Structures are given as structure tokens and as C-alpha cells.
Amino acid sequence: QVQLVESGGGSVQAGGALRLSCAAYGYTRSDNCMGWFRQAPGKEREGVAAIFTGDGATYYADSVKERFTISKDTAKNTLYLQMNSLKPEDTAMYYCAAGGWGLSSVRYNYWGQGTQVTVS
């Protein structure tokens, strides 16, 4: 059974940084993507960043390029999202996902419970 458990969210001032973690229990696929998505109140869920578990290729939404970095520690089976230069518009619930492709949420099979990020 696959379980994704996020951590690392919190409140930070604009310009600050946070690192999100996602422990992936029972997920060992290396032929598709893991990703981070976010959803702000009243808005649709959007893809933030994704990484292909095979070769490590990464994908980013334009709004976070040069500020966010996705990475994966294969030994720990943990996905990370380093978020720098945070802006108030980055405020959202952030979700880890696995078993999909790119930044389209509809393609992902597994989801974590989410971790809140608030930027003031």
C-alpha cells in the first residue's frame, strides 16, 4: 500500500524559505513522476514541480522557476521541495503526489494529505 506523508509546511515572511518533505512508503516505481501540487482557497489545484524518477528530469511551473527546486533522495525514498524567495501568492496547501506525469494533477494516482504553507 502506497502512503505519502508530507511535512515541512509553516508560516514564513515574504522572501523567506521553506523545505517540504514527502516520505513515500511503499512506492518504488522508477518509470513515472513524483510531484508537488498546491491549492489555494477558491482556486484549482495546480502543478508546481515534478521529477521523473527514472533519470531525474525536472519540470516546473513558470511561477516558481528559479525559486523552487524539486529533488528526490532515492535511499530515503523521500521527495523534497526547496522553496526560496517565497511570495504571498505562494500561500496554499501543498500536496505530494506519485505515479503520474508532468504537472497535470489528473494523471497522478497517489496523493498525500497536504501541508499548509502561509507567506505573509
Side-chain angles (χ1 to χ4, degrees):
Q1 183 177 354
V2 175
Q3 186 178 15
L4 304 177
V5 181
E6 302 103 331
S7 61
S11 297
V12 65
Q13 290 189 338
L18 285 172
R19 188 177 81 155
L20 305 183
S21 300
C22 172
Y25 300 100
Y27 186 79
T28 58
R29 295 286 296 272
S30 61
D31 60 352
N32 51 32
C33 288
M34 296 184 70
W36 288 97
F37 293 78
R38 66 186 182 187
Q39 188 167 18
K43 295 188 177 181
E44 293 187 354
R45 187 170 297 188
E46 64 171 341
V48 174
I51 185 167
F52 182 62
T53 54
D55 63 6
T58 57
Y59 311 89
Y60 294 96
D62 288 343
S63 59
V64 305
K65 282 180 180 177
E66 309 300 329
R67 298 189 299 123
F68 291 9
T69 302
I70 189 171
S71 62
K72 185 177 183 292
D73 185 326
T74 301
K76 296 181 178 180
N77 212 21
T78 299
L79 184 72
Y80 300 99
L81 184 68
Q82 178 65 44
M83 305 185 295
N84 298 329
S85 302
L86 282 162
K87 303 176 180 180
E89 51 263 45
D90 294 318
T91 295
M93 184 71 78
Y94 282 71
Y95 297 91
C96 171
W101 292 97
L103 299 179
S104 175
S105 62
V106 297
R107 297 184 174 184
Y108 283 76
N109 296 321
Y110 305 102
W111 293 86
Q113 80 287 352
T115 186
Q116 178 68 37
V117 171
T118 302
V119 185
S120 59

